[in-house]
Amino acid sequence: MKQASVLNPDLTMSEIRMPEGLLLLDGKLSGASPSARRIDVLNPATGEFITTIPACTAADVDHAVMAAHRCFESQAWQSMRPLDRGRLLERLALLIEEHAEELAQLESLDSGKLLSVTRMIDIPFAIEALRYFAGWSSKISGEYIALSPLVQDGASYRAYTERKPMGVVGGITPWNFPLGQAIQKLAPAIACGCTVVLKPSEETSLTTLRLGELILEAGFPAGAVNIVTGYGHDAGAALVEHPLVRKISFTGSTATGQRIWAAAAPTMKRVTLELGGKSPTIILADADLTRAVPGAAAAIFSNSGQICTAGSRLLIEAAVYEEVIAGVADIARTLKLGAGADPQAQIGPLISARQRDRVAGLVRSSLDEGAVALAGGDMIGEAGWFYQPTVLTEVSREMPVMREEVFGPVVCALRIEEPSQLVDLANDTPYGLAASIWTRDLERAHLLADRIDAGTVWLNTHNVLDLAVPFGGRKLSGVGREFGSEAIQAYTEPKAVCMRLDRGAMVGY
Ligand code: NAD
């Protein structure tokens, strides 16, 4: 292939290392079963064809799960020292570091993300997550429990708990942080002694397929990690329904999360569900606007709004309302749209024509109902799936654009007339993922944070995620938490061991 790269005009496509397009099954790179169809991979910046990936069938998923199950049950895996599981993760981190530029380019090409972002955030996050959880592998412990036996038989009783790995974990990931999300599932699972089957989004599977090649090179035992690609309703559903999968860790939309939770019930699978959001960015009248205005713009326009924690509802106290919306709209109008590797681009395309059309439909219906687009409000460009950074005012609480997750660069601004409205407006959403509060008044900030019904509240910042800080949502934003010690709890379950020590054994002591 010698066509010029849209990613970087100086690079040809042949210089961007493509994965072989093979699945990782039982320690080998393999094709899918002969009946599997292929899925076209398109470049979001141009709509051009890049390559194809397998649409795995239930038989392929079964092959992967059986391999993960055999590995989990094997003596070699069960007796592997925790530090050695950590070493596998460290070796993978080193390999990703060695291939960081190639992976950053591939991620940018496949997802439309800015190359500067994949270089500075996606790939470094994947490396750090592997190292963070490598450290955890040797620090997982249970507890000693003092007993109060009802039968006083003169014996002594003791109990302890161990944190036991769940078993085979199915990791199902979305399009917006493909490699990072794959590692976010894989690293804590392996640290805890689980084995894994990953199913990336059909929209962005390329870096996860390349990850499979690096996992082989890192020397993971056969079956410890397996990778299948394909559609959610086929491959994803087969993974969720498989009786040997003990846990599903899913990141994606709320509608799919609900389907997965229901499908997991018959086999009582454990689930972690990281779902959608409609997070408020709250700007109080005393905020430092030199930070709050660019902060609010970054909260919604980063990654073209395709971030689950995007600050898509902008709640502004009346005294600074006009200044804030004018400032955010100015930023929206000046952001330069472009392909991932265009060094001038500040915002990339949306993932697909379908997603772009959904965003456009939500905005159009709100404009029809009386909303005003202070900036943007339309699709842009002849090729690729770009949407203008958009600031909507005169929105009502009932409009779908205010209630549904848009997952695009669209923010709805609301004026807060009375401080007493704040908590009610902030929590007026079925979601509960995140919120940010911008103010100089620390007392008010903490009191407000206390009342916001969300998994994360940021003060004077937005979208700061750290591997050590638990992350997840309340209400329709999900079930369970990832990151930090919570992730270790999520991939293990306590086993209690209780013993009777006969005092007679003390004779002679
Ligand atoms: P999606 O729900 O359409 O798909 C996510 C994954 O689920 C894909 O791999 C898909 O193939 C698979 N899938 C679809 N149907 C399935 C089924 N029936 N059974 C099993 N798997 C199935 O989500 P998306 O559109 O790829 O991603 C965008 C969504 O992800 C947004 O709603 C966003 O908020 C959410 N998200 C949440 C977080 C978080 O941490 N809370 C992070 C990133 C993205």
Side-chain angles (χ1 to χ4, degrees):
M1 209 177 338
K2 207 60 189 167
Q3 145 199 13
S5 164
V6 289
L7 186 71
N8 177 345
D10 299 328
L11 276 179
T12 60
M13 288 282 271
S14 57
E15 284 164 298
I16 299 173
R17 169 82 166 73
M18 281 285 160
E20 298 297 323
L22 294 172
L23 313 168
L24 178 59
L25 295 175
D26 204 7
K28 292 183 214 64
L29 296 175
S30 329
S33 50
S35 61
R37 288 168 295 136
R38 309 284 303 179
I39 301 173
D40 285 349
V41 178
L42 305 179
N43 181 338
T46 60
E48 285 167 6
F49 173 84
I50 300 175
T51 184
T52 65
I53 55 165
C56 287
T57 62
D60 297 313
V61 172
D62 182 57
H63 186 165
V65 174
M66 293 308 294
H69 179 68
R70 274 194 304 276
C71 177
F72 182 75
E73 294 292 331
S74 70
Q75 184 59 30
W77 185 254
Q78 290 291 333
S79 60
M80 185 183 273
R81 297 184 321 149
L83 269 177
D84 292 333
R85 290 200 308 270
R87 207 160 278 160
L88 291 173
L89 299 177
E90 282 161 16
R91 277 208 292 272
L92 185 56
L94 268 177
L95 282 168
I96 293 182
E97 206 162 42
E98 232 171 75
H99 295 277
E101 177 58 19
E102 164 209 328
L103 285 162
Q105 298 217 8
L106 189 60
E107 196 77 297
S108 175
L109 178 69
D110 194 18
S111 68
K113 295 169 81 98
L114 298 182
L115 184 54
S116 55
V117 171
T118 58
R119 278 178 178 155
M120 279 164 29
I121 295 178
D122 292 67
I123 309 306
F125 171 83
I127 296 166
E128 293 202 345
L130 284 163
R131 293 195 170 129
Y132 176 82
F133 285 109
W136 263 109
S137 66
S138 55
K139 294 164 194 70
I140 301 169
S141 59
E143 54 185 346
Y144 169 81
I145 301 167
L147 299 190
S148 309
L150 288 176
V151 179
Q152 310 284 316
D153 60 357
S156 178
Y157 286 82
R158 302 275 191 280
Y160 63 88
T161 61
E162 293 176 88
R163 301 277 338 167
K164 287 292 198 187
M166 295 266 180
V168 177
V169 171
I172 303 179
T173 51
W175 81 64
N176 59 345
F177 285 91
L179 185 69
Q181 292 277 359
I183 299 291
Q184 193 171 316
K185 311 292 185 205
L186 172 163
I190 295 290
C192 291
C194 299
T195 57
V196 182
V197 178
L198 290 174
K199 208 292 291 166
S201 165
E202 56 274 33
E203 310 271 14
T204 52
S205 294
L206 296 184
T207 49
T208 308
L209 286 171
R210 180 72 181 110
L211 177 68
E213 299 170 6
L214 298 178
I215 286 171
L216 265 191
E217 211 177 318
F220 279 61
V225 181
N226 306 271
I227 295 171
V228 292
T229 54
Y231 293 110
H233 57 85
D234 282 339
L239 191 54
V240 174
E241 284 159 21
H242 202 293
L244 290 177
V245 173
R246 300 296 295 275
K247 180 190 168 91
I248 293 290
S249 181
F250 169 76
T251 300
S253 62
T254 293
T256 305
Q258 288 166 325
R259 237 171 269 135
I260 287 178
W261 205 3
T267 46
M268 288 287 180
K269 286 185 179 65
R270 304 331 186 221
V271 293
T272 301
L273 304 173
E274 300 291 355
L275 311 176
K278 194 74 190 169
S279 301
T281 303
I282 301 167
I283 302 190
L284 303 186
D286 72 339
D288 175 355
L289 296 190
T290 63
R291 292 179 185 189
V293 168
I300 182 64
F301 299 135
S302 302
N303 212 35
S304 307
Q306 299 170 115
I307 300 185
C308 50
T309 49
S312 51
R313 290 182 302 137
L314 184 50
L315 311 184
I316 313 158
E317 283 200 310
V320 291
Y321 177 81
E322 295 299 339
E323 196 177 341
V324 170
I325 58 169
V328 175
D330 271 350
I331 294 173
R333 282 189 285 265
T334 53
L335 284 174
K336 186 173 177 310
L337 281 82
D342 174 352
Q344 308 300 322
Q346 293 167 303
I347 181 165
L350 296 174
I351 188 66
S352 61
R354 186 170 62 101
Q355 179 63 9
R356 192 244 351 242
D357 294 346
R358 182 180 131 72
V359 172
L362 281 164
V363 172
R364 206 175 306 116
S365 76
S366 73
L367 296 177
D368 291 345
E369 286 177 50
V372 171
L374 206 57
D378 214 343
M379 307 180 191
I380 190 165
E382 317 234 306
W385 303 307
F386 291 93
Y387 197 86
Q388 292 175 326
T390 297
V391 179
L392 296 177
T393 59
E394 311 305 323
V395 286
S396 74
R397 288 161 77 153
E398 294 72 35
M399 286 178 182
V401 77
M402 271 290 284
R403 304 211 66 77
E404 290 178 30
E405 181 179 51
V406 176
F407 228 53
V410 178
V411 67
C412 299
L414 272 188
R415 181 200 298 264
I416 298 187
E417 303 294 350
E418 292 294 331
S420 59
Q421 293 178 294
L422 243 176
V423 170
D424 174 41
L425 276 174
N427 290 336
D428 182 24
T429 166
Y431 296 103
L433 193 55
S436 64
I437 302 167
W438 300 76
T439 177
R440 290 184 168 101
D441 183 339
L442 269 186
E443 209 164 20
R444 211 174 156 212
H446 285 289
L447 290 171
L448 256 179
D450 199 41
R451 301 279 310 280
I452 305 261
D453 199 0
T456 299
V457 178
W458 290 293
L459 304 181
N460 292 324
T461 188
H462 198 109
N463 277 342
V464 175
L465 298 179
D466 190 283
L467 284 158
V469 180
F471 176 70
R474 292 169 66 88
K475 301 196 277 181
L476 291 192
S477 289
V479 175
R481 294 290 181 272
E482 294 194 284
F483 301 167
S485 58
E486 296 281 342
I488 302 304
Q489 306 288 317
Y491 289 95
T492 56
E493 273 180 324
K495 170 180 274 185
V497 177
C498 183
M499 59 197 143
R500 179 180 187 277
L501 306 175
D502 196 331
R503 288 195 194 280
M506 285 288 284
V507 174
Y509 289 91

